Amino acid sequence: MSASIAPSISALVSGAPTLAPMVVASPPAAPPRFTPAAPAAPGFVHHLVHRPNTPEGVVLGTAAPVTQEFAVSAVLPERHPLFNDGADAFHDLHSPAEALRRTALFVAHRYFRVPQERPAVFASTEVELTELEPWRRAAGPAHLTMDITLRPADVVNGVPRGLECESALSFEGVRCGTARARLVFLMPKVYQNHRERGRAASRSRPVEVEGAEPWPLRPEPKAVGRTDPRNLVLGTPAQNPAGELLVQVLADPANAVFAEAAGDHVPAVVLVEASRQTAFLLAGELHGFTVAGCVLSRWSARFQGFAEPDLPLWCRALAGPLGRAADGRPALPVTLVFFQGSRQVGSVETTVLQDC
């Protein structure tokens, strides 16, 4: 959320950036097309608007390597094969995380002139609900808007080697969440060395799986908040002596969403989905939550590397003390760690909220 949510999440259909009704901005003379960085998924359309802060930005559609503001207007899909699969009670955190990822990548290359050959790493990403009700699904298409601030970091010769991203989220005009991300652009040689070291460490057998007691069966899709078996990304769970839930990440290669996002590392959409499914499984099977009424109210990820697609990828999860949200709903904090061999790929702190 692969380091990408950290380096990648996937799947939007783009539209040419136009002036959305909820913002006021001066578009550049020749608006650039907001082209998705990966193959598109059905029905997901969004538009980008730059709010330039210099005359050059207004006329040329470029940006100086200083803090810049943008707005995104997105119509979420009603029949997406992954995002709309499940109890259909709430919008997934996938959507704003994906919109922020794609916006940051597009802005980095189009406005801040970051060379395309520099691999992008989303070192951290966080999405949090501040109001639950606007996230509840209703009949018809949903309209997501994001006011995004991008701050260049480590600027060398006018080109940033990183971006700090912050965004306020609204559904149907109601402010209801925040999103943040830290993006790093690696020099090609640094990226290559990083991948080689990570791959070597990923080949060893992880000590965390030693002595773990496997469950009898692989979970049913409904136990992880989905209905389509092709969207299940978890193998047979197990519990280790430390009381942690262990599961191997096994995405169906025939799944169009996962296949379209595939590259030379495990795509972030798989990591996001694996963390979601593992957290729901833990809350439902071990803490009595009704998964059909669950929603992630916070998802905060930190990634140290890329997950290799041809080597076993594991996730371990441990729940914290059961608490209550501000409105009294049960809230279960869950810590998840993705690892391959002796190497930690990333960690996720999330909260499962029970709608009741």
Side-chain angles (χ1 to χ4, degrees):
M1 236 276 198
S2 159
S4 111
I5 331 244
S8 287
I9 308 179
S10 122
L12 305 182
V13 168
S14 70
T18 59
L19 188 60
M22 78 293 183
V23 298
V24 177
S26 299
R33 182 168 177 77
F34 191 10
T35 306
F44 204 153
V45 179
H46 66 273
H47 301 275
L48 172 70
V49 174
H50 179 207
R51 293 169 167 167
N53 55 10
T54 65
E56 292 82 2
V58 174
V59 176
L60 302 177
T62 61
V66 297
T67 299
Q68 301 287 337
E69 295 185 352
F70 294 80
V72 168
S73 172
V75 178
L76 302 190
E78 297 182 75
R79 293 180 296 277
H80 190 280
L82 177 64
F83 300 169
N84 296 113
D85 177 39
D88 213 32
F90 296 95
H91 299 291
D92 280 348
L93 294 182
H94 283 301
S95 300
E98 175 66 2
L100 180 63
R101 184 191 75 88
R102 288 180 175 270
T103 299
L105 287 175
F106 178 80
V107 167
H109 297 308
R110 173 59 180 82
Y111 290 90
F112 291 128
R113 306 182 188 88
V114 175
Q116 292 280 352
E117 61 268 20
R118 294 185 185 178
V121 179
F122 279 77
S124 64
T125 303
E126 179 177 331
V127 183
E128 185 169 6
L129 281 64
T130 55
E131 295 289 341
L132 180 62
E133 286 307 309
W135 292 79
R136 197 179 298 276
R137 294 184 188 271
H143 184 203
L144 168 69
T145 57
M146 304 176 67
D147 296 315
I148 302 176
T149 300
L150 298 175
R151 297 183 178 88
D154 192 16
V155 178
V156 178
N157 295 326
V159 178
R161 294 188 178 181
L163 285 177
E164 299 286 342
C165 314
E166 294 185 2
S167 177
L169 312 177
S170 300
F171 273 113
E172 308 301 340
V174 179
R175 187 64 56 86
C176 59
T178 60
R180 299 178 182 86
R182 183 167 62 88
L183 177 60
V184 178
F185 300 98
L186 300 178
M187 302 300 287
K189 187 62 176 178
V190 173
Y191 169 78
Q192 181 181 349
N193 292 339
H194 177 73
R195 291 298 301 275
E196 289 175 354
R197 290 194 301 269
R199 185 167 181 80
S202 294
R203 291 194 178 99
S204 61
R205 179 170 175 78
V207 297
E208 288 91 340
V209 302
E210 299 293 343
E213 293 292 332
W215 292 12
L217 299 170
R218 192 180 186 193
E220 294 289 329
K222 65 181 180 180
V224 298
R226 298 301 186 196
T227 60
D228 189 340
R230 293 172 296 183
N231 287 330
L232 184 66
V233 298
L234 305 183
T236 302
Q239 285 182 272
N240 65 13
E244 297 170 314
L245 182 66
L246 287 169
V247 64
Q248 189 172 351
V249 180
L250 297 171
D252 184 352
N255 184 303
V257 176
F258 302 146
E260 286 173 349
D264 69 343
H265 56 266
V266 176
V269 66
V270 173
L271 296 176
V272 175
E273 184 62 21
S275 63
R276 177 189 185 276
Q277 291 187 16
T278 304
F280 279 7
L281 181 67
L282 181 65
E285 296 295 326
L286 301 182
H287 294 271
F289 279 43
T290 302
V291 173
C294 285
V295 60
L296 296 185
S297 62
R298 178 176 176 266
W299 187 89
S300 179
R302 302 289 183 273
F303 285 85
Q304 293 80 48
F306 297 81
E308 302 296 333
D310 59 336
L311 297 175
L313 173 62
W314 294 84
C315 178
R316 69 174 188 265
L318 184 66
L322 179 64
R324 296 275 178 180
D327 58 8
R329 290 181 171 89
L332 184 71
V334 180
T335 299
L336 306 105
V337 175
F338 290 98
F339 60 96
Q340 287 187 310
S342 62
R343 180 175 67 102
Q344 179 173 310
V345 175
S347 61
V348 176
E349 299 285 341
T350 191
T351 301
V352 182
L353 195 66
Q354 177 73 75
D355 183 34
C356 58

